[in-house]
Amino acid sequence: MSQFLAKEGVKNLHKPGEKLITTHCCYCGMQCGMHIRVNEKSGKVVGVEPRYDWPVTNGKMCPKGVTAYQTIEHEDRILKPLIKRNGKLVEASWKEALDLIEKNFKKLQKESGKDAVAVFGGVSMTNEKCYLVGKYARVGLGTRFIDYNGRFCMSSAAGGFIRTLGTDRGSTLPWPELEHTDCFFIAGSNTAECHPTSIQWLWKAKDKGAKLIVADPRETPTARVADVHLDLKPGTDSALANGMLHIIVKEGYVDEEYVSERCNNYEELKKTIEKFTPEYTSQLTGVAVEKIIKAAHIFGMSPRSVVMFARGVEQQTKGVDNVSLYTTMALLRGQIGKFASGVATFTGQGNGQGGREHGQKADLLPGYRKLTDPAAVEYVSSVWGIDPSEMPKPGVSAYEMFDEIEQGNIRGMHVICSNPAVSAPNLEHIWKGFEKLDFLVVSDFFLSETAQFADVVLPATTWAEDDGTTTNLEGRVIRIRKIREPLGESQPDWKILSMIAERMGRGQFFPYNNASEIFEEFRLASKGGKADYYGITWDRIEREDGVFWPCPSKDHPGTPTMFTESFGTPDGKANLACIEWQEAGETPTNQFPLFLTTGRVVFHYLSGNQTRRVNFLYEQCPEPYAEIHPALASQYNIHDGEQVKLVSPRSHMVVKTRITKAIRKDTVFVPYHWGKELAVNQLTSDHLDPYSRMPEFKVCSLKIEKL
Ligand SMILES: Nc1nc2c(c(=O)[nH]1)N[C@H]1C(S)=C(S)[C@@H](COP(=O)(O)OP(=O)(O)OC[C@H]3O[C@@H](n4cnc5c(=O)[nH]c(N)nc54)[C@H](O)[C@@H]3O)O[C@H]1N2
Ligand SMILES: Nc1nc2c(c(=O)[nH]1)N[C@H]1C(S)=C(S)[C@@H](COP(=O)(O)OP(=O)(O)OC[C@H]3O[C@@H](n4cnc5c(=O)[nH]c(N)nc54)[C@H](O)[C@@H]3O)O[C@H]1N2
Ligand code: SF4
Ligand SMILES: [Mo]
């Protein structure tokens, strides 16, 4: 392992008797560079040091990252398989657990067909593991029902990028270039709390005079320092974006040469934006006319601008439309494919980029190939050694798998690296689904709310107990390193999947001894696809501080800047989005007069199953709360810290209030990192984006009841 030890420059960080192993944080898409401190004698993890020479994060880390090491040997780790006996999960041997899985999966598939068993994946895993989850479902189990938590996260960004640019890479530019940007237009991203270490680039640019525009119903820490804060009503982004496009066109800010050479639909666009005057846009969005005009002028006049967004605009029934329209802002200004400018979504999960490219999505195969494309099926089948006729057809999206459970089509499920019992919308439907399943297997290292429904829980390893790669939010493929041997009887996910495949009689397709062998196969499976990793090797990543995809051959330099010459569309031109404004799936009514929006806090990660177990993080934020504007609070005669009942058309919950001027008067915000009666997803709606099938976590209607 010696070659993976920290480089010379950081030797001063060593304490006597310790070694440092270089890796990246397990949580968000920033993938901050870090060294884990290990006691040389005991092999135990004792701490962390930031990696100052990592070019993307420069030694910066956030509160989650600096405590992540505490989860590795945490006392709550599941160390042996668990089997449900008389309603209780009890420890069992691997043989007992695998016997039970084999028996039940085979029985369900015999009775109801291969599709009776579904796979629900996640992207907090390495590329090697994410790739194998797709192969496991299609080759190991032979089911068409596979989808994953990225459907809740990146699917609308992917849909919007494919529609406009033809290829979905989360960022068209490398992050360090952000320092040289003149204007940031950031929509629906709580950047300072959710991608904290990217803030350094904003500050560096701001020190040189860059302008910042933020579109968010809340005055987030990032909105607070913005030159213009567009405090829009939840669900009105497509109106706001059309309003911005209107001014960009009317004021002559369009890069006409770029648009005529590189874009389609300009004439049609001019027609759709015609009616989005600042006044009309203000009426729809609730944002003051002057702010809209000011923002458009700043953006329009900036030589180098970046349009950035995150789940605030994507987790809507208009998520794909929103992404397409905001991307069109960058296109009209001729910014994509150039230095220090472009468009980027803040990819959420650690491997939210890589994990969405290689076949966990219901309709995708490795390399971003479409399952509906016969040539793609043929190629991937040849890599996998199966007959193309054996390849299952596309399945349904993550939330819709629970409809299939309700209808009795899915009877067994394997959840790997996700906790949908907290993180899926309209939770009653999800909980009923888990109860209805004949057989549920969950792979996790902590007993999640989802694992509590399981018949068998398999102890997976954490990110620190296996080698592999992830792809960060820039599109840079990086190395995750094994810090210690697996704790207890836990096993890396690829090993678990291979063992089950073996039990299902498909062992010959899963012959792996280590993650590196999987990477080699995966390189080949991605070869020639849009997300082409063929030229990337673990050695290259080591030498070059990561390699950007697409990278089709070993002598290809990788692609830090996308679309310099042409776009990923069939004709090489970008498609400007010409889209009418439409309301959210659910808007306030007399009975439910408010907007509910949901999201994150800096101290917790997603369903909270990891961060709620870290004392420091838990103490900072032990429970959810409702952010309410003072004007709204006084209307209901509610005080700060008072318990109130929040009621949506589906369900209700009781939370404490946090009274703050940093939110619209018609909107309530609740973070979603807790389960059961503290889960805000009891209230969220099951409206899905028609293209991406992403749930509308960011908008539903609500009423407040005083207790
Ligand atoms: N601390 C922390 N960091 C994280 C995570 C975490 O759980 N905790 N998770 C990671 C993951 S997987 C993800 S996906 C990202 C998410 O990162 P973000 O998308 O930045 O986080 P969210 O809090 O979900 O939502 C962002 C903002 O959208 C705003 N918003 C709500 N409705 C609307 C709307 O209609 N329009 C607009 N324009 N804005 C709206 C909210 O007020 C919120 O400030 O963060 C990653 N980083
Ligand atoms: N209301 C509301 N709901 C939301 C959102 C929102 O903004 N609002 N955001 C959505 C978004 S963007 C996301 S990404 C989802 C995420 O929601 P989830 O998919 O539930 O995310 P996690 O909490 O990370 O769940 C991962 C689980 O796998 C475990 N785990 C971590 N790493 C590994 C591993 O390597 N192997 C295995 N086997 N297990 C592992 C963790 O312990 C945890 O229990 O939530 C979505 N839900
Ligand atoms: S959670 Fe994200 S920002 Fe924080 S240390 Fe980890 S990778 Fe970096
Ligand atoms: Mo996410």
Side-chain angles (χ1 to χ4, degrees), residues 25 27-32 61-62 64-66 194-197:
C25 177
Y27 296 123
C28 85
M30 290 305 297
Q31 291 290 284
C32 297
M61 286 172 69
C62 84
K64 293 180 300 305
V66 294
C194 295
H195 296 87
T197 57

Side-chain angles (χ1 to χ4, degrees), residues 28-29 64 153-154 187-191 193-196 215-218 220 232-237 310-313 315-316 326 346-349 597-606 669 672-673 698-699:
C28 85
K64 293 180 300 305
C153 185
M154 302 312 299
S189 150
N190 182 359
T191 319
E193 290 199 72
C194 295
H195 296 87
D216 197 304
R218 300 159 61 219
T220 60
L232 78 176
K233 274 186 210 163
T236 61
D237 289 272
R311 303 314 84 73
V313 314
Q315 291 170 330
Q316 299 184 24
Y326 282 128
F346 288 96
T347 288
Q349 297 172 77
T597 192
T598 63
R600 297 159 165 78
V601 298
V602 70
F603 298 110
H604 286 292
Y605 189 64
L606 305 179
F669 168 84
Y672 86 100
H673 311 287
K698 288 296 183 268
V699 199

Side-chain angles (χ1 to χ4, degrees), residues 71 73 93 134 167 253 386 424 440 465 506 512 530 568 691 707:
T71 61
E73 292 159 0
S93 68
T167 303
Y253 293 139
I386 60 169
L440 174 65
E465 295 154 277
R506 307 290 278 174
Y512 316 107
K530 285 215 150 138
Y691 307 101
L707 287 176

Side-chain angles (χ1 to χ4, degrees), residues 25-201:
C25 177
C26 58
Y27 296 123
C28 85
M30 290 305 297
Q31 291 290 284
C32 297
M34 55 157 74
H35 311 285
I36 300 273
R37 289 168 44 200
V38 177
N39 182 294
E40 270 178 315
K41 233 194 206 142
S42 66
K44 282 193 176 252
V45 172
V46 291
V48 66
E49 295 292 343
R51 187 177 159 192
Y52 293 95
D53 64 345
W54 180 245
V56 192
T57 51
N58 288 332
K60 303 280 190 296
M61 286 172 69
C62 84
K64 293 180 300 305
V66 294
T67 51
Y69 77 92
Q70 295 174 13
T71 61
I72 303 169
E73 292 159 0
H74 195 284
E75 58 180 7
D76 292 351
R77 280 286 300 273
I78 306 171
L79 298 178
K80 275 172 86 73
L82 307 174
I83 288 180
K84 200 161 264 170
R85 291 216 173 93
N86 304 318
K88 279 187 88 175
L89 285 165
V90 295
E91 287 191 351
S93 68
W94 271 101
K95 181 171 180 315
E96 285 170 292
L98 292 169
D99 283 348
L100 204 58
I101 293 170
E102 178 185 341
K103 188 177 114 204
N104 281 281
F105 279 1
K106 281 187 174 165
K107 174 174 170 283
L108 293 176
Q109 290 194 320
K110 190 158 177 236
E111 288 171 5
S112 307
K114 295 264 184 196
D115 297 340
V117 177
V119 175
F120 194 114
V123 292
S124 283
M125 293 182 287
T126 56
N127 286 314
E128 293 75 3
K129 291 170 183 170
C130 290
Y131 161 75
L132 210 66
V133 172
K135 181 174 176 187
Y136 163 72
R138 295 180 177 112
V139 180
L141 301 175
T143 179
R144 77 185 177 100
F145 287 125
I146 167 168
D147 211 56
Y148 76 122
N149 66 7
R151 185 71 73 164
F152 299 161
C153 185
M154 302 312 299
S155 58
S156 288
F161 284 152
I162 290 168
R163 190 196 269 176
T164 49
L165 309 177
T167 303
D168 160 36
R169 203 187 76 184
S171 176
T172 65
L173 76 162
W175 238 233
E177 285 183 12
L178 292 173
E179 179 179 351
H180 305 285
T181 296
D182 303 305
C183 174
F184 297 87
F185 184 98
I186 303 185
S189 150
N190 182 359
T191 319
E193 290 199 72
C194 295
H195 296 87
T197 57
S198 62
I199 284 289
Q200 60 178 308
W201 301 113

Side-chain angles (χ1 to χ4, degrees), residues 395-466:
V396 299
S397 77
Y399 182 81
E400 290 166 298
M401 289 214 273
F402 290 82
D403 300 338
E404 298 288 337
I405 296 174
E406 189 179 30
Q407 288 155 21
N409 300 330
I410 291 176
R411 297 179 57 197
M413 186 179 264
H414 187 173
V415 178
I416 304 153
C417 192
S418 183
N419 189 8
V422 175
S423 57
N426 187 24
L427 278 178
E428 204 184 309
H429 186 54
I430 305 300
W431 294 344
K432 276 192 185 148
F434 280 135
E435 265 157 17
K436 184 163 185 222
L437 282 174
D438 291 280
F439 193 66
L440 174 65
V441 181
V442 173
S443 298
D444 206 312
F445 41 76
F446 290 138
L447 196 71
S448 65
E449 286 75 3
T450 304
Q452 291 170 32
F453 284 101
D455 299 287
V456 178
V457 181
L458 298 175
T461 53
T462 63
W463 97 114
E465 295 154 277
D466 195 12

Side-chain angles (χ1 to χ4, degrees), residues 488-509:
E489 291 181 24
S490 64
Q491 298 273 9
D493 293 285
W494 62 262
K495 191 86 175 263
I496 297 175
L497 302 180
S498 303
M499 289 191 290
I500 298 176
E502 165 94 50
R503 293 300 197 104
M504 300 303 285
R506 307 290 278 174
Q508 76 267 32
F509 301 104

Side-chain angles (χ1 to χ4, degrees), residues 35 49 80 277 328 368 645 680:
H35 311 285
E49 295 292 343
K80 275 172 86 73
T277 60
T328 296
Y368 234 117
K645 189 169 172 184
V680 71

